[in-house]
Amino acid sequence: MSLTTYWLEHAWLDTNVEPGVALEVTDGRITAVRTGVDTPPPGAVVLRGLTIPGLSNAHSHAFHRALRGTVQVGSGTFWTWREVMYTVAQRLTPDSYFALARAVYAEMALAGITSVGEFHYLHHAPGGTPYADPNAMGEALIAAAAEAGIRITLLDTAYLSSGFGAAPEQHQLRFTDGTADAWAQRVSALKDRDGVRIGAAIHSVRAVPADQLATVARWAQDREAPLHVHLSEQTAENDACLAAHGLTPTQLLAEHGVLGPRTTGVHNTHLTYGDIGLLGSSTTGTCMCPTTERDLADGIGPAVALQRAGSPLSLGSDSHAVIDLLEEARAMELNERLRTRTRGHWTAAALLRAATADGHAALGWPDAGTLEAGALADFTTIALDTVRTAGPVPRLAAETAVFAASAADVRHTVVAGRHVVRDGVHHSVPDVGAALADSIAALRG
């Protein structure tokens, strides 16, 4: 049994900021929380700043990190961006994907992220030939997360068609297993393990034929695993779904048993009032990815209406235009302010819950995301003395973190009671910038 005491100069305890908090951690879990501890106990690890539960990145495509900068040249739409993404996808191997993902996940750890939901659809070799290990790419991602020191929920994705009734295009052959049954057979070989959850994903209603949606949903239901789906990110998808089925994408998912409390719709941008009601009444979650949604000119999703209807909110960095969950939380509120011309749709505490507890729950880690006895000992510390955060009184530290801080202000990240990032340096990837540069350069050919 291993016991460590952490002394937190300031800690966010769900609703308020408390000064002087001692956390006792045993074998990767918080075993005691003591407030009013004015000075560090003897032998305690001192964390100065504001300590919050570890952040959860509920939606990631790790290889999209290689697109940063490149896709900012010129103009276009989501659909033109997608063509550039395909070129990068064609170059990846299990080894090069491991190197890239290890660096990307280390960047996440530097940003205070302790769990990631990897929406993984790059399964096979170019041309669609399976690797000797059919899950070689997924295992590379799992290994990368382990080396970077964060938890991963591998959301293995069914991607079977290029559109309603259309076969996969050439650059999508790496993504497809042919049928949902073949997908299920392959993904069933992946197993949960320490720091790893195996979940499922439906890429989108255009990429999984309607008569195969239930197969994916049943696989997740039988295993009580998370199930995620890109939903109504683009109006073109809505129009095509209506033309093919006479239903919105949300209605189609509801008809085939996909919605429910372990399901999360990613983006949920262009919804009808009826769609919002279906998602809320089924307690299907919503993962908003504001930095990607604005980067791709997707639009602003109805997050307030969805939450009021009963859909829990989580946050993701998706295409990794930036990796900064504080910015995602801030952007969700600020987007709503721009749309409504009113302020204060969420408190800082509510935004932090979306970035922590509700994100972890969406990824199958319901015992993470809080600083309380029994929870996983995953937490991060944000400096309160930088040019962005200095000045406000400590009781407003949560507001300071959400509305002023950035990933650059993260000083410590602890996962399962162990320091992954200490004083802004990653323990196993000491030069994350170089690791990113090298792994991305290797993909240029």
Side-chain angles (χ1 to χ4, degrees):
M1 184 173 70
S2 173
L3 172 64
T4 303
T5 299
Y6 286 88
W7 182 79
L8 318 180
E9 185 180 28
H10 303 282
W12 179 65
L13 300 182
D14 192 40
T15 58
N16 60 292
V17 174
E18 289 280 349
V21 174
L23 292 185
E24 293 181 4
V25 174
T26 305
D27 296 335
R29 289 189 179 269
I30 299 170
T31 49
V33 179
R34 293 184 285 123
T35 58
V37 183
D38 295 335
T39 58
V45 179
V46 175
L47 303 182
R48 296 201 177 275
L50 173 68
T51 298
I52 64 174
L55 300 166
S56 175
N57 190 350
H59 189 67
S60 162
H61 302 290
F63 76 91
H64 291 189
R65 175 62 179 81
L67 300 172
R68 189 182 295 179
T70 302
V71 291
Q72 311 306 327
V73 177
S75 61
T77 66
F78 166 86
W79 306 103
T80 54
W81 169 89
R82 191 176 69 156
E83 294 304 314
V84 181
M85 178 270 289
Y86 285 149
T87 64
V88 174
Q90 290 304 304
R91 297 173 183 155
L92 286 161
T93 66
D95 287 343
S96 63
Y97 205 5
F98 165 80
L100 175 60
R102 175 176 175 267
V104 174
Y105 296 151
E107 181 181 0
M108 291 185 192
L110 289 176
I113 293 164
T114 58
S115 75
V116 60
E118 184 61 39
F119 200 103
H120 167 57
Y121 55 82
L122 186 55
H123 302 306
H124 306 301
T129 302
Y131 290 102
D133 174 1
N135 289 304
M137 295 295 263
E139 291 290 358
L141 292 166
I142 290 170
E147 289 217 6
I150 68 173
R151 303 180 193 276
I152 185 171
T153 297
L154 188 74
L155 298 162
D156 195 286
T157 305
Y159 194 132
L160 308 175
S161 66
S162 62
F164 297 94
E169 297 174 5
Q170 179 64 34
H171 43 241
Q172 296 166 333
L173 294 176
R174 299 196 71 175
F175 309 162
T176 183
D177 293 294
T179 67
D181 286 333
W183 167 84
Q185 182 176 4
R186 178 184 55 75
V187 73
S188 292
L190 290 163
K191 303 299 180 186
D192 289 357
R193 63 204 82 164
D194 186 32
V196 179
R197 296 283 181 271
I198 305 301
I202 293 165
H203 180 273
S204 56
V205 293
R206 70 178 185 275
V208 177
D211 61 1
Q212 299 186 61
L213 291 170
T215 299
V216 183
R218 279 195 301 270
W219 186 95
Q221 182 178 14
D222 290 348
R223 290 159 180 77
E224 298 185 348
L227 173 60
H228 288 217
V229 55
H230 290 132
L231 181 57
S232 290
E233 182 179 4
Q234 297 292 323
T235 55
E237 178 179 275
N238 290 356
D239 295 342
C241 190
L242 285 165
H245 299 289
L247 300 169
T248 68
T250 301
Q251 290 170 331
L252 187 66
L253 294 176
E255 187 172 89
H256 291 276
V258 175
L259 304 185
R262 282 191 299 274
T263 299
T264 297
V266 181
H267 304 302
N268 293 1
T269 308
H270 303 285
L271 303 176
T272 67
Y273 289 115
D275 293 340
I276 293 169
L278 283 171
L279 294 168
S281 63
S282 61
T283 63
T284 298
T286 294
C287 180
M288 303 296 292
C289 305
T291 65
T292 290
E293 289 150 4
R294 71 191 184 196
D295 181 56
L296 299 182
D298 287 345
I300 300 172
V304 170
L306 282 160
Q307 188 174 53
R308 287 175 178 167
S311 178
L313 299 179
S314 56
L315 296 163
S317 64
D318 192 2
S319 69
H320 313 314
V322 297
I323 293 177
D324 188 338
L325 263 287
L326 298 173
E327 173 63 19
E328 303 294 344
R330 174 164 58 244
M332 188 163 70
E333 165 67 23
L334 298 185
N335 283 351
E336 199 66 25
R337 292 183 185 186
L338 284 174
R339 179 165 61 179
T340 62
R341 291 182 290 176
T342 60
R343 305 174 73 237
H345 302 276
W346 292 277
T347 64
L351 292 167
L352 282 176
R353 280 193 292 275
T356 57
D358 288 346
H360 292 295
L363 297 180
W365 303 98
D367 47 354
T370 60
L371 299 180
E372 59 184 30
L376 292 170
D378 299 355
F379 40 91
T380 188
T381 303
I382 300 163
L384 297 177
D385 58 357
T386 73
V387 293
R388 288 167 293 276
T389 61
V393 296
R395 66 181 177 83
L396 297 177
E399 285 76 10
T400 303
V402 171
F403 291 105
S406 77
D409 298 312
V410 170
R411 290 294 174 266
H412 307 284
T413 301
V414 174
V415 180
R418 298 185 298 272
H419 256 98
V420 174
V421 173
R422 188 190 294 267
D423 295 320
V425 178
H426 196 284
H427 82 291
S428 62
V429 189
D431 191 340
V432 177
L436 286 163
D438 291 346
S439 61
I440 292 170
L443 300 177
R444 296 193 183 112

